[in-house]
């Protein structure tokens, strides 16, 4: 395998993992701050549906990123090819 292609796969693997970790952690922090300090307790039930759609998008994109990363690693046999 050429060095360029190997470096690209390593960079893609790192980028997908970094995206999943960064978006997952920042989404969790944002939701906890939003639910604990920003939204009044009596209004949480009225905004639960939009929050669920946002959470589905954020955590779903993290899961898709990890899934793509695992497919790439399985297809190429990892880094020790």
């Amino acid at each position: 395998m050429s060095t360029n292609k190997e470096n690209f796969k390593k960079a893609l693997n790192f980028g997908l993992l970094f995206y999943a970790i960064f978006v997952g952690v920042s989404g969790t922090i944002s939701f906890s701050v939003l639910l604990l300090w920003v939204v009044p307790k009596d209004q949480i039930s009225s905004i639960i549906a939009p929050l669920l759609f946002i959470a589905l998008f954020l955590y779903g994109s993290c899961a898709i990123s990890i899934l793509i990363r695992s497919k790439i690693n399985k297809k190429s046999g990892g880094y020790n090819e």
Side-chain angles (χ1 to χ4, degrees), residues 39 46 53 56-57 61 63 65 69 71:
V39 178
S46 65
F53 284 118
L56 181 68
F57 174 74
S61 67
S65 161
R69 187 175 184 271
K71 296 274 185 192

Side-chain angles (χ1 to χ4, degrees), residues 14-25 57-58 61-63 65:
F14 175 76
L16 289 170
L17 183 63
F18 181 78
Y19 173 82
I21 291 172
F22 182 74
V23 170
V25 169
F57 174 74
L58 286 177
S61 67
C62 290
S65 161

Side-chain angles (χ1 to χ4, degrees), residues 1 7-8 14 18 20 28 30-31 49 72 76-77:
M1 184 184 321
N7 288 339
F8 176 74
F14 175 76
F18 181 78
T28 302
S30 298
F31 280 126
I72 290 172
S76 68

